[in-house]
Amino acid sequence: MWTDKQRGIRVSQEELLCKNACGYYGNPAWQGLCSKCWRERARPAGAPRQDARPRNDRTPVTFSKFEEKKSIEKGHRINTMRRLFWGSPSPPKRQESSESQTNALKAYQSLEPGDFTGFLKILRSPPSQRLQSRCTAFLNTMEAYHDLPVQKQSDLVQDFYQSFAEHFSSFSEAQVTQIMEHIEKLIMTRLHKWVFCHDSCDDEQKDLALQRRIRSLNWVTPQMLSVPFPDKMTAVTSDPFLPAITAIIEMDAKRAPQDKLACVSKCSQHVFEALSTSNSEPANADDFLSGLIYVVLKANPPRLHSNMQYVIRFGLPHSLMAGESGYYFTNLSCAVAFIEKLDGPSLNLSPEEFEGYMLHQRAPSEGDKRQQIANDTQHLLDELKGRQEKLDQGMDALNVQLQKWVQAVHSQLDEATAQFAVVQKEITAQAELSQVSPSSSQDASPEGDNKDQSVQVLSDQCAGPKDTDC
């Protein structure tokens, strides 16, 4: 529904994978490599740069001697770390019964996914005392040496992950992943204040630069990014990407790398949901990346660069190299890289137009604005008209029901009035009958007395002279 020009945001699945063709997801922060390939390339490359200084002596250094020297230095570094963690050149080997080890492993195997509280209870149990001691010693050491460069701290944390995972080598890959996620959350929740946005790196300056860059691009519209929007938007849900914007902002409040990745995954899922409501067809990778770029530009998440670097340095490698979280995080990295290098052709604009927008000398087309406002107004009017029709229908139905109710009340009232009149008549008749009966009995008694008196007089007269005719 937007312009048919060639979209400047295009990414293929191959471009997201590692450049070494190892099958894992790459990252622009690692020059297109995955974390494993990047570490393998970075560590050997660091040593020669340190030793490539002018030497006072003229003794030639052959490659074999250099390799021998590097191996010795690596052995010293390993022994130093062992002394830091275990207090001796080699880790102490406790004689633990096979029964206690078996019970501890069974407890970890029965752990429910995502039950971090249950994991802590198992870790603090007596069979897991050795593992708990290793975690405590590592945390105390990292806090004591928090002034180390952040890259060295990252290497130490990743080495600890690897050594800790070897304890569960007999477990399945899914179980080891679940346990290591709990370990990551335990370790990094405590180390967050020491390693996040470390003083030895320039993360804070890059955060400010990225925020200023995003703020300067506040004129970019969804149409310029070819982000599909729904044809009808209500006043309440004017922006379908609002849940995704909220989710990406919440990332800065989390401490564990996996929790930050969960916010990225949640944001990406909301982007897909918003795109599915806008189009009848499923969203593709280009639409998803465009929508994610739009979300980042609208949200301008706090300390975005520091949060991404924190996840890269201290997160579990498998979370970034593969799976859903790795795909979403790689796309987020691509979105940030696109924003940092955004230019006119990427938005189908000429260099002059892009420069005018950046200098606030231009604004999005007034015709487009008026058309958008007209469309929004028409949609709002249609929505209000539909609501009004439903309201009128509801009022008519309510009037009909009210009339029926009034008629029913009147009929019941008439019936009750008729019944009351009948009952009142019966009560009145009974009252009159009760008054007539006593008076009749009283009138009958004097007549009887008079009759008795008349008989007595007559009998007296007959008792007189015999010639008197009775």
Side-chain angles (χ1 to χ4, degrees):
M1 84 187 184
W2 309 115
T3 179
D4 295 332
K5 294 182 180 180
Q6 180 71 19
R7 181 183 301 168
I9 309 172
R10 286 192 175 273
V11 61
S12 62
Q13 184 70 15
E14 291 74 14
E15 294 174 346
L16 296 178
L17 297 178
C18 177
K19 290 184 178 181
N20 281 353
C22 63
Y24 296 114
Y25 288 114
N27 195 293
W30 299 323
Q31 299 178 3
L33 301 174
C34 66
S35 61
K36 182 179 179 181
C37 297
W38 171 254
R39 293 182 188 280
E40 290 178 355
R41 174 177 293 187
R43 287 186 178 180
R49 285 195 298 267
Q50 294 177 358
D51 294 336
R53 298 187 301 267
R55 301 177 60 89
N56 295 330
D57 55 347
R58 297 183 179 179
T59 304
V61 180
T62 62
F63 183 76
S64 59
K65 290 184 178 181
F66 171 74
E67 288 292 332
E68 181 181 357
K69 181 179 179 181
K70 188 176 70 171
S71 300
I72 295 175
E73 291 179 353
K74 183 177 180 180
H76 289 324
R77 185 169 64 252
I78 294 176
N79 291 332
T80 302
M81 289 306 305
R82 287 176 175 175
R83 285 194 298 271
L84 288 175
F85 293 140
W86 291 288
S88 62
S90 60
K93 298 182 180 179
R94 293 186 177 182
Q95 298 296 331
E96 297 181 356
S97 63
S98 60
E99 182 178 0
S100 62
Q101 292 180 358
T102 303
N103 294 334
L105 294 179
K106 287 183 178 179
Y108 286 107
Q109 287 178 338
S110 61
L111 189 64
E112 294 293 333
D115 187 8
F116 183 67
T117 304
F119 169 78
L120 292 180
K121 291 181 180 179
I122 297 175
L123 186 64
R124 293 169 183 171
S125 61
S128 301
Q129 184 176 2
R130 182 181 179 184
L131 297 178
Q132 182 185 5
S133 300
R134 289 186 62 182
C135 293
T136 303
F138 178 75
L139 288 172
N140 293 336
T141 303
M142 291 294 296
E143 291 182 359
Y145 291 90
H146 64 272
D147 291 333
L148 290 174
V150 67
Q151 189 57 46
K152 290 187 177 180
Q153 291 182 343
S154 173
D155 293 339
L156 293 177
V157 171
Q158 296 297 332
D159 291 341
F160 177 78
Y161 289 159
Q162 185 175 1
S163 63
F164 198 92
E166 293 175 355
H167 185 78
F168 304 95
S169 58
S170 61
F171 284 23
S172 65
E173 184 178 355
Q175 291 175 336
V176 175
T177 299
Q178 176 184 338
I179 294 173
M180 292 310 301
E181 287 178 352
H182 293 317
I183 288 295
E184 180 210 80
K185 189 170 186 178
L186 172 66
I187 297 298
M188 297 314 304
T189 300
R190 182 168 170 180
L191 295 181
H192 178 270
K193 63 180 180 180
W194 300 110
V195 300
F196 182 80
C197 199
H198 199 266
D199 294 337
S200 62
C201 58
D202 56 351
D203 289 346
E204 185 176 359
Q205 289 76 12
K206 291 184 178 180
D207 283 331
L208 296 175
L210 182 58
Q211 284 189 345
R212 287 193 296 265
R213 173 66 173 175
I214 295 177
R215 197 178 299 116
S216 66
L217 296 171
N218 60 355
W219 49 267
V220 177
T221 62
Q223 293 83 354
M224 294 178 179
L225 295 171
S226 299
V227 178
F229 262 64
D231 295 333
K232 293 185 178 181
M233 293 184 297
T234 62
V236 179
T237 58
S238 58
D239 194 344
F241 293 92
L242 184 59
I245 295 173
T246 304
I248 196 66
I249 292 177
E250 291 176 353
M251 181 173 60
D252 187 59
K254 307 299 181 179
R255 292 189 177 184
Q258 59 179 289
D259 293 337
K260 294 182 182 293
L261 276 177
C263 292
V264 176
S265 299
K266 184 179 178 181
C267 168
S268 302
Q269 291 169 1
H270 285 309
V271 170
F272 274 112
E273 292 176 0
L275 294 174
S276 63
T277 58
S278 304
N279 288 334
S280 58
E281 300 179 355
N284 53 33
D286 293 337
D287 292 336
F288 168 65
L289 184 57
S290 300
L292 190 59
I293 293 172
Y294 172 75
V295 167
V296 175
L297 290 176
K298 291 286 289 185
N300 197 358
R303 301 191 293 186
L304 179 59
H305 176 81
S306 294
N307 281 293
M308 294 177 62
Q309 290 298 317
Y310 177 76
V311 173
I312 290 173
R313 292 165 181 158
F314 302 102
L316 293 173
H318 74 271
S319 300
L320 302 178
M321 294 165 59
E324 190 178 60
S325 59
Y327 175 77
Y328 291 149
F329 188 80
T330 300
N331 276 273
L332 178 61
S333 302
C334 293
V336 173
F338 176 85
I339 292 173
E340 292 175 343
K341 300 177 182 179
L342 184 63
D343 55 5
S346 300
L347 301 176
N348 295 324
L349 299 175
S350 64
E352 293 77 12
E353 291 176 337
F354 182 81
E355 189 68 21
Y357 283 125
M358 293 298 293
L359 297 176
H360 300 285
Q361 297 175 355
R362 294 175 59 94
S365 175
E366 293 297 330
D368 295 340
K369 282 188 175 181
R370 288 194 296 268
Q371 183 64 31
Q372 184 67 28
I373 293 174
N375 292 336
D376 294 343
T377 304
Q378 184 63 38
H379 294 157
L380 183 59
L381 291 176
D382 294 340
E383 181 186 0
L384 292 177
K385 183 179 179 180
R387 291 182 179 181
Q388 184 65 35
E389 291 177 354
K390 290 182 179 180
L391 182 61
D392 293 338
Q393 294 175 359
M395 291 179 61
D396 294 339
L398 181 60
N399 288 331
V400 172
Q401 293 179 359
L402 184 60
Q403 291 176 1
K404 292 181 179 179
W405 179 78
V406 171
Q407 292 176 358
V409 170
H410 282 307
S411 62
Q412 292 177 1
L413 183 60
D414 294 339
E415 183 180 356
T417 303
Q419 292 179 357
F420 178 75
V422 173
V423 172
Q424 189 175 15
K425 288 179 181 180
E426 292 178 356
I427 294 175
T428 304
Q430 291 179 1
E432 291 177 354
L433 290 176
S434 62
Q435 291 179 357
V436 171
S437 297
S439 61
S440 300
S441 60
Q442 291 177 0
D443 293 341
S445 297
E447 291 179 355
D449 295 340
N450 293 333
K451 290 180 179 180
D452 293 339
Q453 292 178 1
S454 301
V455 172
Q456 184 67 30
V457 172
L458 183 59
S459 61
D460 293 341
Q461 289 179 357
C462 293
K466 293 181 180 179
D467 57 351
T468 307
D469 190 6
C470 296

